[in-house]
Amino acid sequence: MVKAENVSIRYLAGDFSDVGLKEWVIQKIKKERKVEPVWAVQDVNFTLESGDFLGIIGTNGAGKSTLLKSVTGILEPRKGKITTDGNVIALLELGTGFDGDLNLRENILMRGALLGFSKEFIEEKTDEILEFAELTDFQWYKYKQLSSGMRSRLAFSICCMVNPDVLILDEVLSVGDGSFRQKSSEKMLNIIKGGAITLFVGHSTVTMRQLATKILWLDRGKQIAFADNRGDAVELLALYEIFLKIRSKNPKAVPDIDDLRKRYRESKIKAAAIEKSKSSLNDLKLTKEEQQLFDELTADLKNKLQIKTVTLSKIVKFERHLLFNPELITKAEEKIKEITDKPIVLCGNFSICYTLKKLFMDRGIAVAFSGEATDKALEDIKNMTDVDLILTTNEKTAEDIRKLTNARVISTDELFCFKITG
Amino acid sequence: MIATLKKYKFLLSQLVKRDFIQKYKKTALGIVWSVLSPLCEFLILYFIFSYMFGRNTPHYTTYLMTGILVNSFYTSATTSGLQSVLNNAGIINKIKLPIWLFPLSKNLSATITFLINCVVLVIFLFIDNISFSWVYISLLYPVILLFFFNYGVSLILGTCYVFFKDTSYLFNIFNRLLYFCCAIFWNVTSLPEILQKIIIFNPVYDFILYFRTVLIDNQLPSAFVHLYLFGFTLVVMLLGCLIYSKNKNKYIFYL
């Protein structure tokens, strides 16, 4: 169990760490010693039971790493308290505690000792660790002779093999290349699902969406929200994504959960309106105004569609690999076929358009044009008569095309890129 | 603390082992250096000073060697102890460990080196025609005290060093001064009476004195020396623990 009660962590900041004796005395005399305590984490509360996966979200400087440091016990909270059971292992310290001049076996012993295990335990595990890391042939090599990939494999294997009770992950679930990546992420998932408590810090919400049972949102040290069940966790992640979008326009934005929730509901309603289906809104319990919004949107959309511009900017920017996910392409295909049965135009990034064109052609969608938005291409698109759907891969191209046509265009945010968001 | 020590017994042994490997890596002679360096110092001092001080000091070889060994035990233990916290910042920053383990491991390595050197000292005694006596067993007393004394100094200075990097230079100068105040190669009897009474308050000199009285004069030192060393060590050790425990939560911000 990991339990945090009213945890506040104070950090010392200012020009103190490189101060020599002379400066220190002078500053003391002049009383201008500039060491300011900064509250890096304030009043944070959460409880984790075995099997929990806590995703900690928040922008840079939110206090995520500081909080993790106090979970591992390196930093003592100034107020409140954190209790942990069992051995806590952090993968963020992957490279620490290894010595270049010792061979792998000695390094495993050293590293195991640092993690607080007994000699017998580590010696018993050494062969297993070497085997898992696929480094048995290298066991007598010095650590410094290993490639960086081998090093991370070794460190990872040690962390996994000792079956941690509390696991602290920083963005990574796996290391190495190809087959080892697969193997290590499987092993990690086994540990996570095998009853360990996991604390995961990251900016990417993809992993969290899959695994998180609880979500803690920090902003500038303060606890914005804590979701303690799967449903709330997923919703909170969605709110966080909306906040990130707001923050990219206004870096000083402060998360306001109620406002974010309102926007989240609206976007869901818009999506449902475009799909002309209310089924996805069943859990939402619409208010009167929201109900009205839904009706308006559905009515409005019916009159609008002349040329539809859909940007794939989301896919391109964040998850390009989704292009190669057949399931999502199928979704896109259905959506396109629902909108039109005429040829479509693909415009923007050349390679993405090329890939998409091939994929769509295979599925019986005719593509009238595919390529970059050069002046000539735009001229051609303008003169096309038998097209009513243009897909662009980025917002700029979409903007350019919008200028060309007089048709009313649905904005990209509203169409949600066919909801291809993973 | 005893329980923690038990838990980290294995880590401590690994750290000591690592100290030795790091110290003598890439050297052809390896661990032989830990014997060779005090031996060389001995030869140099003997060559220069044996004529000046050797004539009125009985068993000058043993006299000189005990001085060098005890002083280098003190110097190496405290100097490496002082740096140990900062040198392991990478680990301390990432893994939760009792920080006092690091100076302790350095002190243990220095003690082991000292014990190896004692073997050489035995050979010197043999050459110097001093035969073994049961009084020698009492030497355990200063060795154990010196270990705690060194550890206390390491804790005090190690803490200061984390906060002020100047500590290391200041301590070097202090040790240089101390070196000459320990009567390593010269004899106290050549001093005026009043200074002879003052130098007895230098604890490192007293440790050396203890060794010399037992080895050369074959008798136990005075009760004052016993008590003074014990008291001094206790004070240093308590001060070390106090300074350490007061600051241990602050280390992390400065590493």
PDB file of all heavy atoms in Angstrom, chain A residues 227-243:
ATOM      1  N   ALA A 227      -8.551  11.022  -9.503  1.00  0.00           N
ATOM      2  CA  ALA A 227      -9.599  10.101  -9.921  1.00  0.00           C
ATOM      3  C   ALA A 227      -9.279   8.736  -9.349  1.00  0.00           C
ATOM      4  O   ALA A 227      -8.197   8.221  -9.587  1.00  0.00           O
ATOM      5  CB  ALA A 227      -9.678  10.040 -11.443  1.00  0.00           C
ATOM      6  N   ASP A 228     -10.207   8.154  -8.572  1.00  0.00           N
ATOM      7  CA  ASP A 228      -9.839   6.898  -7.926  1.00  0.00           C
ATOM      8  C   ASP A 228     -10.552   5.684  -8.501  1.00  0.00           C
ATOM      9  O   ASP A 228     -10.573   4.631  -7.904  1.00  0.00           O
ATOM     10  CB  ASP A 228     -10.025   6.993  -6.410  1.00  0.00           C
ATOM     11  CG  ASP A 228     -11.479   7.175  -6.047  1.00  0.00           C
ATOM     12  OD1 ASP A 228     -12.287   7.379  -6.971  1.00  0.00           O
ATOM     13  OD2 ASP A 228     -11.792   7.115  -4.843  1.00  0.00           O
ATOM     14  N   ASN A 229     -11.177   5.860  -9.685  1.00  0.00           N
ATOM     15  CA  ASN A 229     -11.658   4.652 -10.364  1.00  0.00           C
ATOM     16  C   ASN A 229     -11.426   4.803 -11.855  1.00  0.00           C
ATOM     17  O   ASN A 229     -11.151   5.891 -12.348  1.00  0.00           O
ATOM     18  CB  ASN A 229     -13.123   4.387 -10.052  1.00  0.00           C
ATOM     19  CG  ASN A 229     -14.007   5.526 -10.508  1.00  0.00           C
ATOM     20  OD1 ASN A 229     -14.062   5.823 -11.702  1.00  0.00           O
ATOM     21  ND2 ASN A 229     -14.662   6.168  -9.563  1.00  0.00           N
ATOM     22  N   ARG A 230     -11.543   3.705 -12.540  1.00  0.00           N
ATOM     23  CA  ARG A 230     -11.155   3.649 -13.941  1.00  0.00           C
ATOM     24  C   ARG A 230     -11.938   4.663 -14.794  1.00  0.00           C
ATOM     25  O   ARG A 230     -11.374   5.369 -15.616  1.00  0.00           O
ATOM     26  CB  ARG A 230     -11.368   2.217 -14.429  1.00  0.00           C
ATOM     27  CG  ARG A 230     -11.040   1.980 -15.849  1.00  0.00           C
ATOM     28  CD  ARG A 230      -9.702   1.290 -16.035  1.00  0.00           C
ATOM     29  NE  ARG A 230      -9.482   1.131 -17.462  1.00  0.00           N
ATOM     30  CZ  ARG A 230      -8.650   1.864 -18.169  1.00  0.00           C
ATOM     31  NH1 ARG A 230      -7.906   2.779 -17.583  1.00  0.00           N
ATOM     32  NH2 ARG A 230      -8.528   1.698 -19.462  1.00  0.00           N
ATOM     33  N   GLY A 231     -13.267   4.728 -14.565  1.00  0.00           N
ATOM     34  CA  GLY A 231     -14.098   5.612 -15.368  1.00  0.00           C
ATOM     35  C   GLY A 231     -13.682   7.072 -15.213  1.00  0.00           C
ATOM     36  O   GLY A 231     -13.435   7.779 -16.201  1.00  0.00           O
ATOM     37  N   ASP A 232     -13.530   7.488 -13.964  1.00  0.00           N
ATOM     38  CA  ASP A 232     -13.125   8.864 -13.701  1.00  0.00           C
ATOM     39  C   ASP A 232     -11.735   9.130 -14.260  1.00  0.00           C
ATOM     40  O   ASP A 232     -11.453  10.222 -14.752  1.00  0.00           O
ATOM     41  CB  ASP A 232     -13.104   9.134 -12.183  1.00  0.00           C
ATOM     42  CG  ASP A 232     -14.497   9.252 -11.624  1.00  0.00           C
ATOM     43  OD1 ASP A 232     -15.435   9.222 -12.448  1.00  0.00           O
ATOM     44  OD2 ASP A 232     -14.641   9.356 -10.395  1.00  0.00           O
ATOM     45  N   ALA A 233     -10.872   8.114 -14.160  1.00  0.00           N
ATOM     46  CA  ALA A 233      -9.495   8.274 -14.641  1.00  0.00           C
ATOM     47  C   ALA A 233      -9.490   8.607 -16.126  1.00  0.00           C
ATOM     48  O   ALA A 233      -8.801   9.529 -16.569  1.00  0.00           O
ATOM     49  CB  ALA A 233      -8.687   7.010 -14.363  1.00  0.00           C
ATOM     50  N   VAL A 234     -10.285   7.864 -16.887  1.00  0.00           N
ATOM     51  CA  VAL A 234     -10.306   8.094 -18.329  1.00  0.00           C
ATOM     52  C   VAL A 234     -10.862   9.483 -18.640  1.00  0.00           C
ATOM     53  O   VAL A 234     -10.344  10.204 -19.492  1.00  0.00           O
ATOM     54  CB  VAL A 234     -11.130   6.987 -19.034  1.00  0.00           C
ATOM     55  CG1 VAL A 234     -11.341   7.324 -20.502  1.00  0.00           C
ATOM     56  CG2 VAL A 234     -10.426   5.651 -18.893  1.00  0.00           C
ATOM     57  N   GLU A 235     -11.894   9.877 -17.904  1.00  0.00           N
ATOM     58  CA  GLU A 235     -12.463  11.203 -18.130  1.00  0.00           C
ATOM     59  C   GLU A 235     -11.433  12.289 -17.795  1.00  0.00           C
ATOM     60  O   GLU A 235     -11.243  13.243 -18.543  1.00  0.00           O
ATOM     61  CB  GLU A 235     -13.715  11.397 -17.273  1.00  0.00           C
ATOM     62  CG  GLU A 235     -14.510  12.612 -17.717  1.00  0.00           C
ATOM     63  CD  GLU A 235     -15.435  13.150 -16.637  1.00  0.00           C
ATOM     64  OE1 GLU A 235     -14.934  13.489 -15.547  1.00  0.00           O
ATOM     65  OE2 GLU A 235     -16.632  13.242 -16.894  1.00  0.00           O
ATOM     66  N   LEU A 236     -10.737  12.088 -16.684  1.00  0.00           N
ATOM     67  CA  LEU A 236      -9.750  13.086 -16.260  1.00  0.00           C
ATOM     68  C   LEU A 236      -8.645  13.242 -17.297  1.00  0.00           C
ATOM     69  O   LEU A 236      -8.173  14.348 -17.569  1.00  0.00           O
ATOM     70  CB  LEU A 236      -9.166  12.688 -14.899  1.00  0.00           C
ATOM     71  CG  LEU A 236      -8.447  13.799 -14.130  1.00  0.00           C
ATOM     72  CD1 LEU A 236      -9.377  14.964 -13.904  1.00  0.00           C
ATOM     73  CD2 LEU A 236      -7.923  13.279 -12.800  1.00  0.00           C
ATOM     74  N   LEU A 237      -8.249  12.119 -17.904  1.00  0.00           N
ATOM     75  CA  LEU A 237      -7.228  12.184 -18.953  1.00  0.00           C
ATOM     76  C   LEU A 237      -7.720  13.025 -20.129  1.00  0.00           C
ATOM     77  O   LEU A 237      -6.968  13.808 -20.700  1.00  0.00           O
ATOM     78  CB  LEU A 237      -6.863  10.778 -19.431  1.00  0.00           C
ATOM     79  CG  LEU A 237      -5.929   9.997 -18.500  1.00  0.00           C
ATOM     80  CD1 LEU A 237      -5.829   8.564 -18.946  1.00  0.00           C
ATOM     81  CD2 LEU A 237      -4.561  10.643 -18.458  1.00  0.00           C
ATOM     82  N   ALA A 238      -9.009  12.838 -20.451  1.00  0.00           N
ATOM     83  CA  ALA A 238      -9.565  13.616 -21.559  1.00  0.00           C
ATOM     84  C   ALA A 238      -9.559  15.101 -21.217  1.00  0.00           C
ATOM     85  O   ALA A 238      -9.204  15.944 -22.042  1.00  0.00           O
ATOM     86  CB  ALA A 238     -10.982  13.139 -21.863  1.00  0.00           C
ATOM     87  N   LEU A 239      -9.918  15.409 -19.953  1.00  0.00           N
ATOM     88  CA  LEU A 239      -9.905  16.810 -19.521  1.00  0.00           C
ATOM     89  C   LEU A 239      -8.493  17.364 -19.610  1.00  0.00           C
ATOM     90  O   LEU A 239      -8.276  18.503 -20.024  1.00  0.00           O
ATOM     91  CB  LEU A 239     -10.406  16.943 -18.079  1.00  0.00           C
ATOM     92  CG  LEU A 239     -11.820  16.505 -17.766  1.00  0.00           C
ATOM     93  CD1 LEU A 239     -12.203  16.931 -16.361  1.00  0.00           C
ATOM     94  CD2 LEU A 239     -12.812  17.080 -18.752  1.00  0.00           C
ATOM     95  N   TYR A 240      -7.526  16.535 -19.219  1.00  0.00           N
ATOM     96  CA  TYR A 240      -6.130  16.962 -19.247  1.00  0.00           C
ATOM     97  C   TYR A 240      -5.696  17.291 -20.670  1.00  0.00           C
ATOM     98  O   TYR A 240      -4.997  18.268 -20.926  1.00  0.00           O
ATOM     99  CB  TYR A 240      -5.252  15.872 -18.642  1.00  0.00           C
ATOM    100  CG  TYR A 240      -3.777  16.188 -18.645  1.00  0.00           C
ATOM    101  CD1 TYR A 240      -3.279  17.288 -17.951  1.00  0.00           C
ATOM    102  CD2 TYR A 240      -2.872  15.395 -19.345  1.00  0.00           C
ATOM    103  CE1 TYR A 240      -1.936  17.591 -17.940  1.00  0.00           C
ATOM    104  CE2 TYR A 240      -1.516  15.682 -19.345  1.00  0.00           C
ATOM    105  CZ  TYR A 240      -1.056  16.781 -18.642  1.00  0.00           C
ATOM    106  OH  TYR A 240       0.272  17.075 -18.645  1.00  0.00           O
ATOM    107  N   GLU A 241      -6.140  16.457 -21.605  1.00  0.00           N
ATOM    108  CA  GLU A 241      -5.778  16.710 -23.005  1.00  0.00           C
ATOM    109  C   GLU A 241      -6.353  18.032 -23.491  1.00  0.00           C
ATOM    110  O   GLU A 241      -5.687  18.792 -24.194  1.00  0.00           O
ATOM    111  CB  GLU A 241      -6.253  15.559 -23.893  1.00  0.00           C
ATOM    112  CG  GLU A 241      -5.223  14.438 -23.922  1.00  0.00           C
ATOM    113  CD  GLU A 241      -5.750  13.187 -24.585  1.00  0.00           C
ATOM    114  OE1 GLU A 241      -6.897  13.199 -25.080  1.00  0.00           O
ATOM    115  OE2 GLU A 241      -5.002  12.201 -24.593  1.00  0.00           O
ATOM    116  N   ILE A 242      -7.602  18.294 -23.084  1.00  0.00           N
ATOM    117  CA  ILE A 242      -8.204  19.572 -23.468  1.00  0.00           C
ATOM    118  C   ILE A 242      -7.399  20.715 -22.863  1.00  0.00           C
ATOM    119  O   ILE A 242      -7.102  21.707 -23.521  1.00  0.00           O
ATOM    120  CB  ILE A 242      -9.678  19.642 -22.993  1.00  0.00           C
ATOM    121  CG1 ILE A 242     -10.496  18.578 -23.709  1.00  0.00           C
ATOM    122  CG2 ILE A 242     -10.265  21.027 -23.271  1.00  0.00           C
ATOM    123  CD1 ILE A 242     -11.887  18.416 -23.172  1.00  0.00           C
ATOM    124  N   PHE A 243      -7.002  20.544 -21.603  1.00  0.00           N
ATOM    125  CA  PHE A 243      -6.219  21.583 -20.927  1.00  0.00           C
ATOM    126  C   PHE A 243      -4.892  21.832 -21.648  1.00  0.00           C
ATOM    127  O   PHE A 243      -4.477  22.972 -21.824  1.00  0.00           O
ATOM    128  CB  PHE A 243      -5.968  21.205 -19.466  1.00  0.00           C
ATOM    129  CG  PHE A 243      -5.028  22.141 -18.781  1.00  0.00           C
ATOM    130  CD1 PHE A 243      -5.403  23.452 -18.522  1.00  0.00           C
ATOM    131  CD2 PHE A 243      -3.757  21.743 -18.419  1.00  0.00           C
ATOM    132  CE1 PHE A 243      -4.541  24.331 -17.912  1.00  0.00           C
ATOM    133  CE2 PHE A 243      -2.881  22.619 -17.811  1.00  0.00           C
ATOM    134  CZ  PHE A 243      -3.270  23.924 -17.559  1.00  0.00           C
TER     135      PHE A 243
END
